[in-house]
Amino acid sequence: MVSVPVIDITDLRSPDPELRRAVAKQIGEACETVGFLTVTGHGIDPTVLDDAFTATRKTFAQSMDDKMARAWDDDHVNRGYDPPGRQQLDAESAPDFKEAWSFSPEHLAGIGPMSGENQWPALADVREPIERYHRTAMEVCEMLLRAMALSLELDEHHFEPFHQAPICTLRLLHYPPRPDAAGEADFGAGAHTDWGAVTVLAQDGEGSLQVMTKDGDWADVPPVEGAFVINVGDLLQRWTNDRYVSTLHRVIGVPGRDRYSIACFFDLDHDALIEVLPTCVTEDEPARYGPITAGGHLQERYEASMPTG
């Protein structure tokens, strides 16, 4: 069985560098072995998270006509509503039965692909709590990247030039109750790895998130109240020359109950050039990957996830 560690990251905000380094070591070990961790002590006010989940439930409670009026229709501009069945994260499974609503920071409008205008719900009281949560989740991502830099024997601020105007998608997710007739190939979100650098996930208390173990089995990631689930994305695995691991995971859905989650995908600047980190290369472990831009990598992965035919 896989063990997703629970790590208190309070000391990442300490002025004492040794305390920060001690937490960074725990984070690095989790990223190298499991690729997942659950963090407490992140510093986000609980009301910010509660208000974001309230806004998420209101957003998906709209009629399908109202939601489809804000749906995106361009694979290069993933902003707005995403109905059930549109995405297929696992090519061997059925299309995902989740629905989603995606936002990006306003500064990204018009900067490269996947960066169009946000399509806000036609509701008066959801934008402000979603934007407030998005800002605070990005701060958590930045704090985690500083810790990861320390764990990789780099300067604490090494990654900062790569996220001055980051592609940081916030995705509200609703998983309807798992159908009684669902088969072995039906999932809320099929097996996949995340594509970018770091994901910060807030999940409700329903569970059903699973990660694949090194033995090829599936293990639950139990919800911890007020905590976030953090995972390594493909781009960060590439950047670290496979020292960090991007792990397969899926959401199976809950029979008889809805599940909600909010994912913050912190995916660096669109034009950031990603080359294997110098501390992750040795004579015995040369660089396995060539340079790539963060935006180009994400676009390729996203288009590959769209059902064909």
Side-chain angles (χ1 to χ4, degrees):
M1 296 293 290
V2 70
S3 176
V4 175
V6 179
I7 300 174
D8 185 343
I9 63 171
T10 301
D11 283 342
L12 290 183
R13 301 190 299 280
S14 170
D16 185 337
E18 292 307 312
L19 291 178
R20 298 198 302 275
R21 196 173 297 278
V23 178
K25 181 180 179 182
Q26 296 179 62
I27 291 172
E29 289 172 351
C31 291
E32 292 181 27
T33 56
V34 185
F36 270 78
L37 58 149
T38 297
V39 300
T40 62
H42 46 71
I44 291 184
D45 188 321
T47 60
V48 173
L49 185 57
D50 291 344
D51 290 348
F53 269 110
T54 297
T56 297
R57 293 184 178 94
K58 288 181 178 179
T59 294
F60 289 117
Q62 298 175 98
S63 71
M64 184 56 73
D65 285 346
D66 286 342
K67 289 184 286 190
M68 289 303 296
R70 297 293 192 272
W72 53 273
D73 57 6
D74 182 345
D75 286 351
H76 294 272
V77 184
N78 176 17
R79 298 291 174 264
Y81 179 62
D82 197 356
R86 176 157 193 172
Q87 195 169 36
Q88 185 175 1
L89 288 169
D90 182 354
E92 303 300 319
S93 298
D96 301 348
F97 64 73
K98 70 179 186 301
E99 57 180 343
W101 205 302
S102 299
F103 306 93
S104 66
E106 296 295 338
H107 69 252
L108 282 178
I111 302 177
M114 300 182 70
S115 61
E117 298 287 344
N118 285 320
Q119 300 293 318
W120 290 98
L123 297 169
D125 54 353
V126 302
R127 179 169 178 169
E128 193 276 334
I130 290 171
E131 288 189 318
R132 184 172 66 245
Y133 176 77
H134 198 175
R135 290 192 299 270
T136 54
M138 288 177 67
E139 291 171 1
V140 171
C141 293
E142 292 167 350
M143 180 168 56
L144 289 167
L145 280 172
R146 290 194 294 272
M148 291 173 180
L150 288 175
S151 80
L152 295 164
E153 301 92 37
L154 297 165
D155 180 84
E156 191 169 10
H157 304 286
H158 179 86
F159 292 129
E160 289 178 8
F162 298 88
H163 57 83
Q164 295 300 298
I167 304 169
C168 186
T169 301
L170 189 76
R171 203 160 204 223
L172 314 182
L173 292 152
H174 170 223
Y175 299 87
R178 183 172 174 80
D180 292 338
E184 293 183 358
D186 294 306
F187 298 99
H192 66 286
T193 56
D194 290 349
W195 307 327
V198 178
T199 301
V200 172
L201 177 74
Q203 56 175 340
D204 64 12
E206 297 297 340
S208 87
L209 172 63
Q210 296 183 327
V211 300
M212 180 171 278
T213 71
K214 292 182 178 180
D215 295 328
D217 299 319
W218 289 101
D220 294 331
V221 182
V224 176
E225 185 175 359
F228 294 121
V229 176
I230 312 299
N231 64 279
V232 173
D234 297 342
L235 197 61
L236 188 54
Q237 175 172 313
R238 178 186 184 121
W239 213 356
T240 61
N241 210 31
D242 297 338
R243 179 168 165 180
Y244 280 8
V245 293
S246 180
T247 304
L248 275 172
H249 53 285
R250 68 184 185 184
V251 177
I252 57 175
V254 184
R257 297 197 301 275
D258 295 276
R259 177 187 187 267
Y260 297 89
S261 63
I262 307 173
C264 182
F265 301 103
F266 198 84
D267 296 332
L268 310 178
D269 295 352
H270 179 266
D271 293 326
L273 186 63
I274 306 304
E275 301 177 274
V276 172
L277 295 165
T279 57
C280 297
V281 175
T282 66
E283 289 187 6
D284 295 329
E285 293 287 344
R288 298 185 175 100
Y289 305 100
I292 193 170
T293 64
H297 168 81
L298 290 175
Q299 187 66 37
E300 289 176 4
R301 295 300 308 277
Y302 183 78
E303 290 178 354
S305 77
M306 292 294 104
T308 58

